[in-house]
Amino acid sequence: MVDFDAAERRIWAGRAEAFRDSFAKLCAHTAPALLDVVGAGPGVRLLDVGTGIGTVAAAACARGAAVTAVDAEDSMIELARRNAPAADIRQAVLPDLPFAAAGFDAVVANFVVNHVGRPADAVAAMRRVTRPGGRVAATIWCSPAGAGHELLDRAVEAAGAHRPAGLPRLDPLEEFPRTREGFAELFAAAGLTDVTCEPISWDHLADPEEWWGGAAAGVGLIGQTISRQDPDTLKRVKAAYDDLAREYAGPDGRLRLRYHALLAGGRAV
């Protein structure tokens, strides 16, 4: 079996700018709600786990929080430090957070739990570094995640392309239901109380070439599926994408992509 965490790190290596220019704009939508759940504000010691290009960290700094952020990928850390210069940004990989127990008032992870090989251990690690009474919150994609990935999946299928070998698959023993109840249970099992989990849906607007650019650059699993095709197959995928994109475009030509996520929160004890 492919090492899930190692494969994820290979997927994201060096792709911070491609992510910034494409899918990061989608992921940014949930940042305000995520910070609301943990009460991010002046003086709150907040840890942003898997900060990516620093979107949530920058938003928390803007609220006056004292922000520490971590990510596994060097190129992400470089952009995060530019985007959130007031934050203390370091390299770390879940669930091995290099912090003492109970060191933060709030810990957040925006679309990170769905990118680790041990989701339960990841949430437990977030709880460990949160002080008693502090709050933990995280977002994940649910199923179906959204129209943007549906569009790309349809283009792959129409072109007769196949999933490349070696992409990470979560060990079934680590899997959990990507539902309100399933995500909430992950938080409760980590020892958090007052657990809530709510769905979030929104329309993401994107230029068709911008959206394709993230996938063509290999961002995420769908990007790996597309970018690792042979040149002729890649041309067929792009032609199918251009044809199908018209179904998702509004009058201004931009894609209107409906997305769905789950936001869970809980209190450390």
Side-chain angles (χ1 to χ4, degrees):
M1 179 178 291
V2 174
D3 184 306
F4 188 95
D5 292 312
E8 278 280 343
R9 288 195 287 277
R10 287 194 296 270
I11 286 172
W12 290 99
R15 291 190 167 86
E17 291 188 357
F19 175 64
R20 175 198 63 195
D21 295 339
S22 57
F23 304 148
K25 300 173 186 179
L26 167 71
C27 298
H29 179 89
T30 52
L34 186 69
L35 294 175
D36 287 346
V37 167
V38 297
V44 171
R45 298 169 301 164
L46 182 139
L47 174 64
D48 178 24
V49 177
T51 191
I53 64 168
T55 300
V56 173
C61 287
R63 294 186 179 205
V67 178
T68 301
V70 299
D71 202 272
E73 162 52 26
D74 289 339
S75 65
M76 294 289 186
I77 292 170
E78 181 180 350
L79 284 188
R81 285 174 174 161
R82 292 187 214 163
N83 293 332
D88 175 11
I89 299 176
R90 314 178 191 182
Q91 189 170 49
V93 179
L94 275 170
D96 301 318
L97 295 177
F99 304 107
F104 296 95
D105 303 311
V107 180
V108 296
N110 196 36
F111 301 114
V112 176
V113 174
N114 44 282
H115 286 292
V116 298
R118 292 179 285 159
D121 288 349
V123 177
M126 294 167 65
R127 191 267 309 154
R128 180 186 69 81
V129 299
T130 307
R131 66 164 175 80
R135 294 196 62 83
V136 174
T139 52
I140 60 167
W141 301 113
C142 51
S143 183
H149 282 64
E150 174 190 85
L151 165 58
L152 293 165
D153 284 337
R154 289 179 63 194
V156 168
E157 182 178 2
H162 300 285
R163 177 187 172 103
L167 294 185
R169 293 182 185 275
L170 195 63
D171 185 329
L173 295 176
E174 298 289 349
E175 190 56 89
F176 65 96
R178 308 305 168 95
T179 62
R180 292 176 70 176
E181 295 78 12
F183 199 25
E185 176 55 32
L186 199 69
F187 268 55
L192 294 158
T193 62
D194 301 328
V195 174
T196 62
C197 185
E198 298 297 332
I200 302 176
S201 298
W202 70 100
D203 288 331
H204 177 64
L205 302 179
D207 177 85
E209 288 306 309
E210 172 189 281
W211 192 251
W212 171 258
V219 177
L221 286 178
I222 186 59
Q224 289 291 297
T225 297
I226 289 172
S227 66
R228 290 168 60 178
Q229 302 297 325
D230 65 75
D232 287 340
T233 303
L234 184 59
K235 288 179 182 177
R236 294 199 305 273
V237 176
K238 180 57 162 66
Y241 172 84
D242 290 340
D243 183 55
L244 291 165
R246 299 186 185 97
E247 298 178 23
Y248 298 81
D252 62 357
R254 289 191 297 171
L255 302 175
R256 184 176 293 274
L257 306 171
R258 189 70 170 169
Y259 264 84
H260 310 281
L262 296 171
L263 168 55
R267 190 177 301 280
V269 292

